[in-house]
Amino acid sequence: MPTPARLTPAPLDSVGHWLAPLGLRLILAWEFFESGREKLQGANWFAQLDDRFPWPFSVLGANLNWSLATWFELLGSLALLLGLGTRLAAYSLWVLSIVATYAVHWPGAWASLGELWQGYAITNKGFGNYKLPLLYLVMLLPLMLNGAGRFSLDQLIGRHRLQAGMASGPWGWSATLVLLGLPLALLLPWVGAALFTAGLAVLLAALRPR
């Protein structure tokens, strides 16, 4: 009788470490490259957003924000394609997507979660249209947390580099919660505040003398 351990699809796990992150990287690299290329070749329409950018982007001006968005998308897509600096690239694009959602796709006002959910759409019918950026955020999250996978330059370089001790345990949890909570506070202040507070609590618990 085979044991439960032998029923685990280990070959699929092995293949998954190679192909699953690669699939996410390729599709996201193409999407952000297309967006960056359109900005590079097109006219700057950020001035039409008036004061809808959050601080500190609100003080940078339309031209600088346009250039930042363009090059973050182009360079970020290249980093995802190569699997180089993947966590940093994914987080940069994650923040960029949240800022874009806040400025362009998020509803101006909503009174309930049911009303907010009407904005989960491609076409804006008065409730926002944040479906695509939300999908990008969810797809970027595994790359931020797990990295580029084995088929990447990060993996090739990482074979000869020691892992930082602060990347795991309470330090890793604290940094993750804080870094996720800060940008999310733009869209859902209570969710962002809860994550940020939880991250600080984990950090304080780790620093407490035993």
Side-chain angles (χ1 to χ4, degrees):
M1 184 78 180
T3 63
R6 292 181 180 177
L7 295 177
T8 302
L12 290 181
D13 290 343
S14 178
V15 172
H17 291 316
W18 287 86
L19 296 186
L22 178 62
L24 287 176
R25 284 167 39 213
L26 291 178
I27 188 63
L28 287 169
W30 175 251
E31 291 294 328
F32 282 106
F33 172 74
E34 272 200 322
S35 179
R37 182 180 59 180
E38 288 178 3
K39 290 183 177 66
L40 187 65
Q41 298 175 347
N44 185 350
W45 48 266
F46 276 9
Q48 303 173 18
L49 299 177
D50 298 324
D51 57 349
R52 296 179 63 180
F53 280 105
W55 187 90
F57 303 98
S58 58
V59 301
L60 299 181
N63 289 333
L64 182 54
N65 278 324
W66 184 265
S67 296
L68 288 174
T70 299
W71 289 106
F72 265 93
E73 288 176 339
L74 291 175
L75 296 177
S77 64
L78 178 62
L80 291 184
L81 179 64
L82 299 176
L84 180 63
T86 306
R87 284 188 170 93
L88 178 59
Y91 183 72
S92 299
L93 294 172
W94 203 75
V95 173
L96 178 69
S97 298
I98 287 183
V99 173
T101 302
Y102 179 88
V104 181
H105 305 283
W106 203 243
W110 48 278
S112 66
L113 291 178
E115 188 173 302
L116 175 63
W117 186 246
Q118 295 182 62
Y120 184 72
I122 301 297
T123 303
N124 192 341
K125 298 182 179 180
F127 299 96
N129 59 330
Y130 57 82
K131 183 173 184 175
L132 278 180
L134 179 59
L135 292 175
Y136 295 157
L137 291 173
V138 173
M139 294 165 70
L140 285 167
L141 195 58
L143 299 178
M144 290 162 48
L145 299 179
N146 295 327
R150 293 179 179 172
F151 195 75
S152 65
L153 291 180
D154 284 340
Q155 173 69 15
L156 183 64
I157 297 170
R159 290 177 181 174
H160 307 286
R161 185 176 58 194
L162 293 176
Q163 298 294 326
M166 291 178 61
S168 59
W171 299 100
W173 275 102
S174 176
T176 299
L177 292 171
V178 168
L179 290 174
L180 292 181
L182 283 174
L184 274 177
L186 286 175
L187 305 178
L188 300 169
W190 64 89
V191 174
L195 292 176
F196 184 81
T197 303
L200 292 182
V202 171
L203 177 61
L204 292 175
L207 294 175
R208 183 180 303 169
R210 299 180 181 275

